[in-house]
């Protein structure tokens, strides 16, 4: 396809692709990385690092769909880290 990132897996160990994230944003009203990685794909529960390593790739896919600037993307990544700490009681 025109966007290879959408066809590829976010993490080699899991089947979730960029296209699934794009679908969640465009069709399921996902608006945060927590929506994508905790609630839609459950990657946060399946990855040993709570999907922190795939969050930047997820943000890169979501950003153009949600109209995020680079500072919005940075804020989304920070918010995701905070949400992971709340959900998992994790200090990093």
């Amino acid at each position: 396809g025109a966007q290879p990132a959408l066809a590829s897996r976010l993490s080699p160990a899991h089947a979730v692709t960029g296209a699934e994230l794009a679908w969640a944003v465009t069709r399921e009203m996902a608006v945060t990385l927590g929506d994508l990685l905790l609630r839609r794909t459950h990657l946060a529960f399946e990855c040993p690092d709570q999907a922190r390593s795939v969050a930047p790739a997820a943000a890169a896919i979501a950003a153009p769909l949600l109209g995020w600037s680079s500072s919005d993307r940075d804020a989304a990544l920070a918010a995701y880290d905070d949400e992971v700490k709340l959900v998992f009681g994790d200090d990093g």
Side-chain angles (χ1 to χ4, degrees):
Q3 297 186 26
L6 295 185
S8 17
R9 292 178 177 205
L10 287 171
S11 162
H14 301 90
V16 176
T17 64
E20 289 177 70
L21 298 187
W23 177 266
V25 170
T26 59
R27 300 281 187 244
E28 298 178 347
M29 297 184 289
V31 294
T32 69
L33 294 175
D35 286 344
L36 294 171
L37 300 175
L38 287 156
R39 290 176 280 286
R40 297 302 194 290
T41 65
H42 303 146
L43 278 174
F45 299 96
E46 296 168 14
C47 295
D49 66 349
Q50 288 79 50
R52 286 182 174 102
S53 59
V54 300
I61 290 164
L65 299 172
L66 292 168
W68 289 351
S69 65
S70 60
S71 61
D72 293 334
R73 193 168 62 224
D74 292 344
L77 287 164
Y80 178 68
D81 195 53
D82 289 344
E83 189 170 359
V84 164
K85 288 174 185 172
L86 280 173
V87 171
F88 292 91
D90 179 31
D91 294 325

